[in-house]
Structures are given as structure tokens and as C-alpha cells.
Amino acid sequence: MDFFDSLDISASGLVAQRVRMNVIASNLANVETTRTAQGGPYRRQDVVFRAVPLSPSFGEAFRHALDGRLSEVEVVDIVTDRRPPKRLYAPSHPDADASGYVAVPNINVIEEMVNMLSATRSYEANVTAIQSAKSMALRALEIAR
């Protein structure tokens, strides 16, 4: 593993966590959205990650597999939650059905906040890893003087 491998791995983590934070922000922004372009309430979304070998060529991937598995993270998909929406009794709401119930997104704000904290901590860990790699490289250059 060289200096740039560690930067590539941490950079992939930064990109993945940024996408996750954007999805969480979208979920929190639409916690009370009852009408969407697709019809019905907003549906919660979640990010799916996948570990991919660091080097795209077969030879390098094989060498890394023998040396130890170096993988970076990649966002594979953003999936929509399949849970049904919650039904709240609000007969005066413009989207209420004939019985007075409104379908609202099934988003748990606490769950989203925990996911946001987790994404933030992962982002910070990747920043720290980049700073550590940079510091080690600078110290190596100082030794070479």
C-alpha cells in the first residue's frame, strides 16, 4: 500500500459519506411531505454501499488480493424504503382521504439523526486518515533532508 492508495481509499469514503448525508438531509427535509410528483407521500431513501477493489485492472486486483484486501467504498444505489406510509387522522388536511386520514412519510427523525451522526463520524475518520497520511509523508520528507 502506497501513499496514494491510502488517499484514494479515504477519498472514496468521503464521497460515499457525502452522498449519504445528502440522502439523510432529503429525508429530514421531507418528513411531512404528503404530496410528490409520483403521487402519495415522500418515501424514505437509503444509501447502499459496496466495497470494490482499489485497483481496477485484474493484475493489480489479484496482487492486492494476495497482499491483503484493499478496498474502497462505492455507492451502489439509493433505494426507496418499502415500508408503508403512516396514517394520521387529520380531516382538515387537504390530502386527507374520505375517512379523514392522511398518508405521511414513514420517517423516524431519531433514526435519521443517528444515521447523520454516523455519517459525520465516518466522514471525520476519513479526514483524519488523510491528515495522518499527509503528516507521515511530510515527516518522511523531513527525514530525507
Side-chain angles (χ1 to χ4, degrees):
M1 183 166 143
D2 66 11
F3 173 70
F4 292 109
D5 287 344
S6 63
L7 292 181
D8 287 342
I9 292 169
S10 294
S12 71
L14 292 175
V15 170
Q17 295 305 326
R18 180 183 51 83
V19 171
R20 184 177 178 203
M21 285 293 287
N22 287 340
V23 169
I24 292 168
S26 177
N27 289 340
L28 288 172
N30 289 292
V31 75
E32 294 183 6
T33 301
T34 58
R35 197 179 303 175
T36 61
Q38 295 81 21
Y42 176 81
R43 307 294 297 243
R44 180 183 178 275
Q45 296 180 329
D46 205 359
V47 178
V48 178
F49 296 131
R50 172 177 70 182
V52 293
L54 183 60
S55 303
S57 72
F58 176 76
E60 292 180 18
F62 185 71
R63 182 176 56 87
H64 285 301
L66 293 176
D67 294 343
R69 296 179 166 239
L70 293 179
S71 300
E72 57 188 6
V73 65
E74 176 182 81
V75 174
V76 176
D77 197 9
I78 297 174
V79 295
T80 302
D81 193 352
R82 295 183 185 171
R83 292 182 289 184
K86 293 187 288 188
R87 290 175 44 94
L88 295 178
Y89 184 71
S92 63
H93 194 282
D95 291 331
D97 61 9
S99 58
Y101 284 94
V102 178
V104 296
N106 194 0
I107 296 173
N108 184 343
V109 175
I110 295 171
E111 179 183 346
E112 296 301 321
M113 295 299 288
V114 169
N115 288 339
M116 187 166 48
L117 284 173
S118 173
T120 302
R121 296 292 181 250
S122 295
Y123 194 90
E124 290 171 350
N126 283 300
V127 168
T128 301
I130 288 173
Q131 289 172 341
S132 296
K134 186 177 99 180
S135 175
M136 287 174 27
L138 288 175
R139 298 241 177 195
L141 289 174
E142 288 176 6
I143 291 172
R145 285 188 199 177

